[in-house]
PDB file of all heavy atoms in Angstrom:
ATOM      1  N   THR A 107       0.848  -1.187   0.000  1.00 33.00           N
ATOM      2  CA  THR A 107       0.000   0.000   0.000  1.00 33.00           C
ATOM      3  C   THR A 107       0.883   1.236   0.000  1.00 33.00           C
ATOM      4  O   THR A 107       2.074   1.172  -0.230  1.00 33.00           O
ATOM      5  CB  THR A 107      -0.928  -0.014   1.227  1.00 33.00           C
ATOM      6  OG1 THR A 107      -0.116  -0.205   2.400  1.00 33.00           O
ATOM      7  CG2 THR A 107      -1.913  -1.139   1.135  1.00 33.00           C
ATOM      8  N   GLY A 108       0.287   2.401   0.264  1.00 38.00           N
ATOM      9  CA  GLY A 108       1.062   3.637   0.211  1.00 38.00           C
ATOM     10  C   GLY A 108       0.876   4.259  -1.148  1.00 38.00           C
ATOM     11  O   GLY A 108      -0.239   4.575  -1.550  1.00 38.00           O
ATOM     12  N   SER A 109       1.966   4.441  -1.904  1.00 46.00           N
ATOM     13  CA  SER A 109       1.831   5.055  -3.215  1.00 46.00           C
ATOM     14  C   SER A 109       1.016   4.173  -4.152  1.00 46.00           C
ATOM     15  O   SER A 109       0.511   4.639  -5.156  1.00 46.00           O
ATOM     16  CB  SER A 109       3.205   5.320  -3.827  1.00 46.00           C
ATOM     17  OG  SER A 109       3.893   4.114  -4.035  1.00 46.00           O
ATOM     18  N   ASP A 110       0.886   2.902  -3.831  1.00 52.00           N
ATOM     19  CA  ASP A 110       0.083   2.001  -4.649  1.00 52.00           C
ATOM     20  C   ASP A 110      -1.313   1.792  -4.066  1.00 52.00           C
ATOM     21  O   ASP A 110      -2.078   0.989  -4.577  1.00 52.00           O
ATOM     22  CB  ASP A 110       0.792   0.651  -4.791  1.00 52.00           C
ATOM     23  CG  ASP A 110       2.148   0.811  -5.445  1.00 52.00           C
ATOM     24  OD1 ASP A 110       2.194   1.299  -6.579  1.00 52.00           O
ATOM     25  OD2 ASP A 110       3.149   0.483  -4.805  1.00 52.00           O
ATOM     26  N   SER A 111      -1.614   2.484  -2.968  1.00 71.00           N
ATOM     27  CA  SER A 111      -2.951   2.379  -2.407  1.00 71.00           C
ATOM     28  C   SER A 111      -3.969   2.989  -3.358  1.00 71.00           C
ATOM     29  O   SER A 111      -3.687   3.960  -4.053  1.00 71.00           O
ATOM     30  CB  SER A 111      -3.047   3.118  -1.067  1.00 71.00           C
ATOM     31  OG  SER A 111      -2.353   2.451  -0.062  1.00 71.00           O
ATOM     32  N   ILE A 112      -5.148   2.417  -3.379  1.00 82.00           N
ATOM     33  CA  ILE A 112      -6.260   2.973  -4.123  1.00 82.00           C
ATOM     34  C   ILE A 112      -7.241   3.533  -3.099  1.00 82.00           C
ATOM     35  O   ILE A 112      -7.731   2.812  -2.235  1.00 82.00           O
ATOM     36  CB  ILE A 112      -6.956   1.900  -4.981  1.00 82.00           C
ATOM     37  CG1 ILE A 112      -5.944   1.247  -5.923  1.00 82.00           C
ATOM     38  CG2 ILE A 112      -8.112   2.506  -5.766  1.00 82.00           C
ATOM     39  CD1 ILE A 112      -6.468   0.005  -6.600  1.00 82.00           C
ATOM     40  N   TYR A 113      -7.472   4.834  -3.165  1.00 87.00           N
ATOM     41  CA  TYR A 113      -8.438   5.467  -2.278  1.00 87.00           C
ATOM     42  C   TYR A 113      -9.750   5.667  -3.034  1.00 87.00           C
ATOM     43  O   TYR A 113      -9.759   5.931  -4.245  1.00 87.00           O
ATOM     44  CB  TYR A 113      -7.918   6.826  -1.795  1.00 87.00           C
ATOM     45  CG  TYR A 113      -6.703   6.724  -0.910  1.00 87.00           C
ATOM     46  CD1 TYR A 113      -5.423   6.840  -1.443  1.00 87.00           C
ATOM     47  CD2 TYR A 113      -6.825   6.513   0.458  1.00 87.00           C
ATOM     48  CE1 TYR A 113      -4.300   6.756  -0.632  1.00 87.00           C
ATOM     49  CE2 TYR A 113      -5.711   6.428   1.272  1.00 87.00           C
ATOM     50  CZ  TYR A 113      -4.456   6.554   0.717  1.00 87.00           C
ATOM     51  OH  TYR A 113      -3.340   6.465   1.516  1.00 87.00           O
ATOM     52  N   ARG A 114     -10.847   5.546  -2.303  1.00 90.00           N
ATOM     53  CA  ARG A 114     -12.163   5.786  -2.902  1.00 90.00           C
ATOM     54  C   ARG A 114     -12.953   6.712  -1.997  1.00 90.00           C
ATOM     55  O   ARG A 114     -13.060   6.485  -0.796  1.00 90.00           O
ATOM     56  CB  ARG A 114     -12.925   4.473  -3.092  1.00 90.00           C
ATOM     57  CG  ARG A 114     -14.322   4.693  -3.699  1.00 90.00           C
ATOM     58  CD  ARG A 114     -15.014   3.384  -4.024  1.00 90.00           C
ATOM     59  NE  ARG A 114     -15.430   2.659  -2.837  1.00 90.00           N
ATOM     60  CZ  ARG A 114     -15.855   1.393  -2.850  1.00 90.00           C
ATOM     61  NH1 ARG A 114     -15.890   0.724  -3.981  1.00 90.00           N
ATOM     62  NH2 ARG A 114     -16.213   0.795  -1.738  1.00 90.00           N
ATOM     63  N   THR A 115     -13.497   7.767  -2.571  1.00 93.00           N
ATOM     64  CA  THR A 115     -14.422   8.628  -1.839  1.00 93.00           C
ATOM     65  C   THR A 115     -15.807   8.453  -2.438  1.00 93.00           C
ATOM     66  O   THR A 115     -15.988   8.519  -3.655  1.00 93.00           O
ATOM     67  CB  THR A 115     -14.008  10.104  -1.913  1.00 93.00           C
ATOM     68  OG1 THR A 115     -13.776  10.476  -3.274  1.00 93.00           O
ATOM     69  CG2 THR A 115     -12.743  10.336  -1.124  1.00 93.00           C
ATOM     70  N   THR A 116     -16.770   8.202  -1.583  1.00 94.00           N
ATOM     71  CA  THR A 116     -18.160   8.054  -1.994  1.00 94.00           C
ATOM     72  C   THR A 116     -18.929   9.253  -1.455  1.00 94.00           C
ATOM     73  O   THR A 116     -19.030   9.428  -0.240  1.00 94.00           O
ATOM     74  CB  THR A 116     -18.763   6.749  -1.453  1.00 94.00           C
ATOM     75  OG1 THR A 116     -17.969   5.641  -1.887  1.00 94.00           O
ATOM     76  CG2 THR A 116     -20.194   6.561  -1.945  1.00 94.00           C
ATOM     77  N   PHE A 117     -19.434  10.107  -2.348  1.00 94.00           N
ATOM     78  CA  PHE A 117     -20.144  11.318  -1.987  1.00 94.00           C
ATOM     79  C   PHE A 117     -21.635  11.145  -2.282  1.00 94.00           C
ATOM     80  O   PHE A 117     -22.006  10.705  -3.366  1.00 94.00           O
ATOM     81  CB  PHE A 117     -19.641  12.509  -2.803  1.00 94.00           C
ATOM     82  CG  PHE A 117     -18.341  13.096  -2.331  1.00 94.00           C
ATOM     83  CD1 PHE A 117     -17.160  12.416  -2.481  1.00 94.00           C
ATOM     84  CD2 PHE A 117     -18.314  14.348  -1.739  1.00 94.00           C
ATOM     85  CE1 PHE A 117     -15.955  12.954  -2.071  1.00 94.00           C
ATOM     86  CE2 PHE A 117     -17.132  14.903  -1.317  1.00 94.00           C
ATOM     87  CZ  PHE A 117     -15.938  14.210  -1.481  1.00 94.00           C
ATOM     88  N   THR A 118     -22.460  11.528  -1.336  1.00 95.00           N
ATOM     89  CA  THR A 118     -23.901  11.602  -1.564  1.00 95.00           C
ATOM     90  C   THR A 118     -24.299  13.067  -1.568  1.00 95.00           C
ATOM     91  O   THR A 118     -23.989  13.802  -0.626  1.00 95.00           O
ATOM     92  CB  THR A 118     -24.678  10.846  -0.476  1.00 95.00           C
ATOM     93  OG1 THR A 118     -24.248   9.488  -0.457  1.00 95.00           O
ATOM     94  CG2 THR A 118     -26.173  10.894  -0.749  1.00 95.00           C
ATOM     95  N   ALA A 119     -24.963  13.516  -2.647  1.00 96.00           N
ATOM     96  CA  ALA A 119     -25.269  14.932  -2.840  1.00 96.00           C
ATOM     97  C   ALA A 119     -26.770  15.134  -2.994  1.00 96.00           C
ATOM     98  O   ALA A 119     -27.489  14.254  -3.477  1.00 96.00           O
ATOM     99  CB  ALA A 119     -24.547  15.468  -4.067  1.00 96.00           C
ATOM    100  N   SER A 120     -27.230  16.321  -2.590  1.00 96.00           N
ATOM    101  CA  SER A 120     -28.639  16.697  -2.758  1.00 96.00           C
ATOM    102  C   SER A 120     -28.705  18.166  -3.160  1.00 96.00           C
ATOM    103  O   SER A 120     -27.704  18.892  -3.110  1.00 96.00           O
ATOM    104  CB  SER A 120     -29.424  16.461  -1.462  1.00 96.00           C
ATOM    105  OG  SER A 120     -28.914  17.271  -0.411  1.00 96.00           O
ATOM    106  N   THR A 121     -29.888  18.609  -3.559  1.00 96.00           N
ATOM    107  CA  THR A 121     -30.065  19.988  -3.999  1.00 96.00           C
ATOM    108  C   THR A 121     -31.481  20.453  -3.689  1.00 96.00           C
ATOM    109  O   THR A 121     -32.364  19.623  -3.391  1.00 96.00           O
ATOM    110  CB  THR A 121     -29.788  20.112  -5.509  1.00 96.00           C
ATOM    111  OG1 THR A 121     -29.896  21.472  -5.918  1.00 96.00           O
ATOM    112  CG2 THR A 121     -30.769  19.281  -6.313  1.00 96.00           C
ATOM    113  N   ASP A 122     -31.696  21.759  -3.781  1.00 96.00           N
ATOM    114  CA  ASP A 122     -33.045  22.306  -3.609  1.00 96.00           C
ATOM    115  C   ASP A 122     -33.733  22.548  -4.943  1.00 96.00           C
ATOM    116  O   ASP A 122     -34.838  23.087  -4.994  1.00 96.00           O
ATOM    117  CB  ASP A 122     -32.991  23.606  -2.803  1.00 96.00           C
ATOM    118  CG  ASP A 122     -32.189  24.704  -3.496  1.00 96.00           C
ATOM    119  OD1 ASP A 122     -31.608  24.448  -4.574  1.00 96.00           O
ATOM    120  OD2 ASP A 122     -32.129  25.820  -2.954  1.00 96.00           O
ATOM    121  N   GLN A 123     -33.114  22.129  -6.047  1.00 95.00           N
ATOM    122  CA  GLN A 123     -33.659  22.375  -7.377  1.00 95.00           C
ATOM    123  C   GLN A 123     -34.556  21.222  -7.822  1.00 95.00           C
ATOM    124  O   GLN A 123     -34.186  20.053  -7.700  1.00 95.00           O
ATOM    125  CB  GLN A 123     -32.526  22.564  -8.386  1.00 95.00           C
ATOM    126  CG  GLN A 123     -31.636  23.759  -8.116  1.00 95.00           C
ATOM    127  CD  GLN A 123     -32.400  25.057  -8.216  1.00 95.00           C
ATOM    128  OE1 GLN A 123     -32.938  25.414  -9.261  1.00 95.00           O
ATOM    129  NE2 GLN A 123     -32.454  25.782  -7.100  1.00 95.00           N
ATOM    130  N   THR A 124     -35.716  21.573  -8.360  1.00 94.00           N
ATOM    131  CA  THR A 124     -36.631  20.543  -8.879  1.00 94.00           C
ATOM    132  C   THR A 124     -36.314  20.182 -10.323  1.00 94.00           C
ATOM    133  O   THR A 124     -36.667  19.100 -10.791  1.00 94.00           O
ATOM    134  CB  THR A 124     -38.081  21.029  -8.795  1.00 94.00           C
ATOM    135  OG1 THR A 124     -38.208  22.265  -9.513  1.00 94.00           O
ATOM    136  CG2 THR A 124     -38.490  21.246  -7.339  1.00 94.00           C
ATOM    137  N   ASN A 125     -35.637  21.096 -11.030  1.00 92.00           N
ATOM    138  CA  ASN A 125     -35.298  20.881 -12.429  1.00 92.00           C
ATOM    139  C   ASN A 125     -33.803  20.567 -12.514  1.00 92.00           C
ATOM    140  O   ASN A 125     -32.957  21.410 -12.200  1.00 92.00           O
ATOM    141  CB  ASN A 125     -35.626  22.122 -13.257  1.00 92.00           C
ATOM    142  CG  ASN A 125     -35.288  21.937 -14.733  1.00 92.00           C
ATOM    143  OD1 ASN A 125     -35.002  20.827 -15.188  1.00 92.00           O
ATOM    144  ND2 ASN A 125     -35.322  23.039 -15.476  1.00 92.00           N
ATOM    145  N   ALA A 126     -33.454  19.367 -12.979  1.00 91.00           N
ATOM    146  CA  ALA A 126     -32.053  18.953 -13.032  1.00 91.00           C
ATOM    147  C   ALA A 126     -31.225  19.876 -13.916  1.00 91.00           C
ATOM    148  O   ALA A 126     -30.034  20.103 -13.647  1.00 91.00           O
ATOM    149  CB  ALA A 126     -31.947  17.522 -13.540  1.00 91.00           C
ATOM    150  N   ALA A 127     -31.824  20.435 -14.958  1.00 91.00           N
ATOM    151  CA  ALA A 127     -31.065  21.284 -15.881  1.00 91.00           C
ATOM    152  C   ALA A 127     -30.592  22.571 -15.221  1.00 91.00           C
ATOM    153  O   ALA A 127     -29.681  23.225 -15.724  1.00 91.00           O
ATOM    154  CB  ALA A 127     -31.914  21.607 -17.105  1.00 91.00           C
ATOM    155  N   GLY A 128     -31.198  22.939 -14.087  1.00 93.00           N
ATOM    156  CA  GLY A 128     -30.799  24.165 -13.407  1.00 93.00           C
ATOM    157  C   GLY A 128     -29.743  23.971 -12.345  1.00 93.00           C
ATOM    158  O   GLY A 128     -29.292  24.935 -11.726  1.00 93.00           O
ATOM    159  N   VAL A 129     -29.318  22.738 -12.106  1.00 95.00           N
ATOM    160  CA  VAL A 129     -28.342  22.463 -11.055  1.00 95.00           C
ATOM    161  C   VAL A 129     -26.943  22.845 -11.526  1.00 95.00           C
ATOM    162  O   VAL A 129     -26.505  22.419 -12.602  1.00 95.00           O
ATOM    163  CB  VAL A 129     -28.372  20.969 -10.657  1.00 95.00           C
ATOM    164  CG1 VAL A 129     -27.318  20.676  -9.593  1.00 95.00           C
ATOM    165  CG2 VAL A 129     -29.757  20.589 -10.166  1.00 95.00           C
ATOM    166  N   PRO A 130     -26.216  23.659 -10.768  1.00 96.00           N
ATOM    167  CA  PRO A 130     -24.845  24.025 -11.164  1.00 96.00           C
ATOM    168  C   PRO A 130     -23.923  22.806 -11.197  1.00 96.00           C
ATOM    169  O   PRO A 130     -24.266  21.720 -10.733  1.00 96.00           O
ATOM    170  CB  PRO A 130     -24.418  25.011 -10.067  1.00 96.00           C
ATOM    171  CG  PRO A 130     -25.687  25.451  -9.413  1.00 96.00           C
ATOM    172  CD  PRO A 130     -26.640  24.313  -9.531  1.00 96.00           C
ATOM    173  N   VAL A 131     -22.737  23.006 -11.734  1.00 95.00           N
ATOM    174  CA  VAL A 131     -21.733  21.947 -11.795  1.00 95.00           C
ATOM    175  C   VAL A 131     -21.225  21.641 -10.387  1.00 95.00           C
ATOM    176  O   VAL A 131     -20.963  22.552  -9.596  1.00 95.00           O
ATOM    177  CB  VAL A 131     -20.556  22.369 -12.689  1.00 95.00           C
ATOM    178  CG1 VAL A 131     -19.418  21.349 -12.624  1.00 95.00           C
ATOM    179  CG2 VAL A 131     -21.025  22.564 -14.120  1.00 95.00           C
ATOM    180  N   LEU A 132     -21.100  20.360 -10.067  1.00 95.00           N
ATOM    181  CA  LEU A 132     -20.477  19.965  -8.805  1.00 95.00           C
ATOM    182  C   LEU A 132     -19.304  19.042  -9.109  1.00 95.00           C
ATOM    183  O   LEU A 132     -19.299  18.323 -10.099  1.00 95.00           O
ATOM    184  CB  LEU A 132     -21.483  19.294  -7.868  1.00 95.00           C
ATOM    185  CG  LEU A 132     -22.152  17.986  -8.314  1.00 95.00           C
ATOM    186  CD1 LEU A 132     -21.352  16.785  -7.799  1.00 95.00           C
ATOM    187  CD2 LEU A 132     -23.580  17.915  -7.783  1.00 95.00           C
ATOM    188  N   ARG A 133     -18.302  19.111  -8.246  1.00 95.00           N
ATOM    189  CA  ARG A 133     -17.102  18.302  -8.435  1.00 95.00           C
ATOM    190  C   ARG A 133     -16.701  17.636  -7.119  1.00 95.00           C
ATOM    191  O   ARG A 133     -16.847  18.219  -6.047  1.00 95.00           O
ATOM    192  CB  ARG A 133     -15.919  19.144  -8.928  1.00 95.00           C
ATOM    193  CG  ARG A 133     -16.093  19.777 -10.264  1.00 95.00           C
ATOM    194  CD  ARG A 133     -14.781  20.275 -10.840  1.00 95.00           C
ATOM    195  NE  ARG A 133     -14.020  21.099  -9.910  1.00 95.00           N
ATOM    196  CZ  ARG A 133     -12.932  21.786 -10.239  1.00 95.00           C
ATOM    197  NH1 ARG A 133     -12.486  21.746 -11.485  1.00 95.00           N
ATOM    198  NH2 ARG A 133     -12.281  22.501  -9.347  1.00 95.00           N
ATOM    199  N   VAL A 134     -16.177  16.445  -7.243  1.00 95.00           N
ATOM    200  CA  VAL A 134     -15.529  15.736  -6.155  1.00 95.00           C
ATOM    201  C   VAL A 134     -14.047  15.725  -6.490  1.00 95.00           C
ATOM    202  O   VAL A 134     -13.668  15.322  -7.589  1.00 95.00           O
ATOM    203  CB  VAL A 134     -16.066  14.299  -6.025  1.00 95.00           C
ATOM    204  CG1 VAL A 134     -15.336  13.552  -4.922  1.00 95.00           C
ATOM    205  CG2 VAL A 134     -17.569  14.319  -5.767  1.00 95.00           C
ATOM    206  N   ARG A 135     -13.212  16.156  -5.552  1.00 93.00           N
ATOM    207  CA  ARG A 135     -11.810  16.348  -5.881  1.00 93.00           C
ATOM    208  C   ARG A 135     -10.946  15.850  -4.730  1.00 93.00           C
ATOM    209  O   ARG A 135     -11.279  16.031  -3.561  1.00 93.00           O
ATOM    210  CB  ARG A 135     -11.583  17.843  -6.144  1.00 93.00           C
ATOM    211  CG  ARG A 135     -10.202  18.269  -6.503  1.00 93.00           C
ATOM    212  CD  ARG A 135     -10.236  19.678  -7.151  1.00 93.00           C
ATOM    213  NE  ARG A 135     -10.993  20.648  -6.409  1.00 93.00           N
ATOM    214  CZ  ARG A 135     -10.463  21.548  -5.559  1.00 93.00           C
ATOM    215  NH1 ARG A 135      -9.168  21.563  -5.333  1.00 93.00           N
ATOM    216  NH2 ARG A 135     -11.231  22.408  -4.928  1.00 93.00           N
ATOM    217  N   SER A 136      -9.826  15.257  -5.070  1.00 92.00           N
ATOM    218  CA  SER A 136      -8.796  14.925  -4.086  1.00 92.00           C
ATOM    219  C   SER A 136      -7.508  15.547  -4.565  1.00 92.00           C
ATOM    220  O   SER A 136      -7.199  15.518  -5.759  1.00 92.00           O
ATOM    221  CB  SER A 136      -8.634  13.409  -3.950  1.00 92.00           C
ATOM    222  OG  SER A 136      -8.295  12.837  -5.192  1.00 92.00           O
ATOM    223  N   SER A 137      -6.763  16.139  -3.662  1.00 87.00           N
ATOM    224  CA  SER A 137      -5.555  16.828  -4.073  1.00 87.00           C
ATOM    225  C   SER A 137      -4.549  16.814  -2.952  1.00 87.00           C
ATOM    226  O   SER A 137      -4.906  16.796  -1.769  1.00 87.00           O
ATOM    227  CB  SER A 137      -5.872  18.276  -4.459  1.00 87.00           C
ATOM    228  OG  SER A 137      -4.691  18.968  -4.807  1.00 87.00           O
ATOM    229  N   THR A 138      -3.271  16.831  -3.326  1.00 78.00           N
ATOM    230  CA  THR A 138      -2.219  17.009  -2.344  1.00 78.00           C
ATOM    231  C   THR A 138      -2.259  18.440  -1.843  1.00 78.00           C
ATOM    232  O   THR A 138      -2.855  19.322  -2.456  1.00 78.00           O
ATOM    233  CB  THR A 138      -0.846  16.742  -2.970  1.00 78.00           C
ATOM    234  OG1 THR A 138      -0.611  17.723  -3.985  1.00 78.00           O
ATOM    235  CG2 THR A 138      -0.799  15.363  -3.588  1.00 78.00           C
ATOM    236  N   SER A 139      -1.618  18.683  -0.724  1.00 65.00           N
ATOM    237  CA  SER A 139      -1.608  20.028  -0.172  1.00 65.00           C
ATOM    238  C   SER A 139      -0.878  21.003  -1.094  1.00 65.00           C
ATOM    239  O   SER A 139      -1.101  22.204  -1.043  1.00 65.00           O
ATOM    240  CB  SER A 139      -0.945  20.017   1.209  1.00 65.00           C
ATOM    241  OG  SER A 139       0.366  19.490   1.132  1.00 65.00           O
ATOM    242  N   SER A 140       0.004  20.493  -1.938  1.00 65.00           N
ATOM    243  CA  SER A 140       0.740  21.352  -2.853  1.00 65.00           C
ATOM    244  C   SER A 140       0.056  21.476  -4.210  1.00 65.00           C
ATOM    245  O   SER A 140       0.500  22.249  -5.051  1.00 65.00           O
ATOM    246  CB  SER A 140       2.147  20.795  -3.063  1.00 65.00           C
ATOM    247  OG  SER A 140       2.088  19.548  -3.726  1.00 65.00           O
ATOM    248  N   PHE A 141      -0.997  20.704  -4.443  1.00 68.00           N
ATOM    249  CA  PHE A 141      -1.730  20.698  -5.707  1.00 68.00           C
ATOM    250  C   PHE A 141      -0.848  20.287  -6.884  1.00 68.00           C
ATOM    251  O   PHE A 141      -1.111  20.630  -8.032  1.00 68.00           O
ATOM    252  CB  PHE A 141      -2.363  22.065  -6.002  1.00 68.00           C
ATOM    253  CG  PHE A 141      -3.583  22.331  -5.181  1.00 68.00           C
ATOM    254  CD1 PHE A 141      -3.461  22.776  -3.886  1.00 68.00           C
ATOM    255  CD2 PHE A 141      -4.844  22.102  -5.683  1.00 68.00           C
ATOM    256  CE1 PHE A 141      -4.582  23.012  -3.104  1.00 68.00           C
ATOM    257  CE2 PHE A 141      -5.972  22.332  -4.911  1.00 68.00           C
ATOM    258  CZ  PHE A 141      -5.840  22.787  -3.610  1.00 68.00           C
ATOM    259  N   GLU A 142       0.245  19.542  -6.614  1.00 77.00           N
ATOM    260  CA  GLU A 142       1.063  19.055  -7.714  1.00 77.00           C
ATOM    261  C   GLU A 142       0.282  18.053  -8.562  1.00 77.00           C
ATOM    262  O   GLU A 142       0.483  17.962  -9.764  1.00 77.00           O
ATOM    263  CB  GLU A 142       2.328  18.385  -7.176  1.00 77.00           C
ATOM    264  CG  GLU A 142       3.270  19.352  -6.487  1.00 77.00           C
ATOM    265  CD  GLU A 142       4.453  18.630  -5.883  1.00 77.00           C
ATOM    266  OE1 GLU A 142       4.841  17.589  -6.417  1.00 77.00           O
ATOM    267  OE2 GLU A 142       4.973  19.107  -4.880  1.00 77.00           O
ATOM    268  N   GLN A 143      -0.557  17.267  -7.920  1.00 84.00           N
ATOM    269  CA  GLN A 143      -1.393  16.339  -8.667  1.00 84.00           C
ATOM    270  C   GLN A 143      -2.745  16.281  -8.007  1.00 84.00           C
ATOM    271  O   GLN A 143      -2.856  16.223  -6.783  1.00 84.00           O
ATOM    272  CB  GLN A 143      -0.784  14.943  -8.717  1.00 84.00           C
ATOM    273  CG  GLN A 143      -1.640  13.953  -9.494  1.00 84.00           C
ATOM    274  CD  GLN A 143      -0.943  12.627  -9.705  1.00 84.00           C
ATOM    275  OE1 GLN A 143       0.252  12.572  -9.944  1.00 84.00           O
ATOM    276  NE2 GLN A 143      -1.693  11.547  -9.608  1.00 84.00           N
ATOM    277  N   SER A 144      -3.792  16.324  -8.799  1.00 90.00           N
ATOM    278  CA  SER A 144      -5.141  16.212  -8.261  1.00 90.00           C
ATOM    279  C   SER A 144      -5.959  15.323  -9.186  1.00 90.00           C
ATOM    280  O   SER A 144      -5.700  15.230 -10.384  1.00 90.00           O
ATOM    281  CB  SER A 144      -5.807  17.587  -8.142  1.00 90.00           C
ATOM    282  OG  SER A 144      -5.897  18.226  -9.401  1.00 90.00           O
ATOM    283  N   ASP A 145      -6.940  14.647  -8.589  1.00 93.00           N
ATOM    284  CA  ASP A 145      -7.858  13.795  -9.327  1.00 93.00           C
ATOM    285  C   ASP A 145      -9.251  14.372  -9.139  1.00 93.00           C
ATOM    286  O   ASP A 145      -9.661  14.665  -8.009  1.00 93.00           O
ATOM    287  CB  ASP A 145      -7.810  12.363  -8.809  1.00 93.00           C
ATOM    288  CG  ASP A 145      -6.450  11.725  -9.020  1.00 93.00           C
ATOM    289  OD1 ASP A 145      -5.489  12.114  -8.337  1.00 93.00           O
ATOM    290  OD2 ASP A 145      -6.353  10.832  -9.861  1.00 93.00           O
ATOM    291  N   VAL A 146      -9.996  14.517 -10.218  1.00 94.00           N
ATOM    292  CA  VAL A 146     -11.256  15.247 -10.181  1.00 94.00           C
ATOM    293  C   VAL A 146     -12.357  14.446 -10.860  1.00 94.00           C
ATOM    294  O   VAL A 146     -12.129  13.830 -11.903  1.00 94.00           O
ATOM    295  CB  VAL A 146     -11.113  16.622 -10.874  1.00 94.00           C
ATOM    296  CG1 VAL A 146     -12.408  17.422 -10.756  1.00 94.00           C
ATOM    297  CG2 VAL A 146      -9.943  17.413 -10.297  1.00 94.00           C
TER     298      VAL A 146
END
């Protein structure tokens, strides 16, 4: 494990919008503190 570890984040999201077309873009992101590499 370590640099070969696979991390998984599972996000559950909700909104106050009844029309899906009006929902803004949302992102799930993981990043190092230096932002040298990020997965989005």
Side-chain angles (χ1 to χ4, degrees):
T107 53
S109 63
D110 300 300
S111 289
I112 303 168
Y113 294 94
R114 179 174 71 192
T115 51
T116 304
F117 282 70
T118 302
S120 62
T121 183
D122 62 356
Q123 297 297 298
T124 57
N125 180 11
V129 178
V131 173
L132 62 93
R133 297 195 310 189
V134 178
R135 180 162 49 98
S136 58
S137 178
T138 64
S139 57
S140 66
F141 284 81
E142 293 176 29
Q143 180 172 322
S144 60
D145 296 71
V146 184

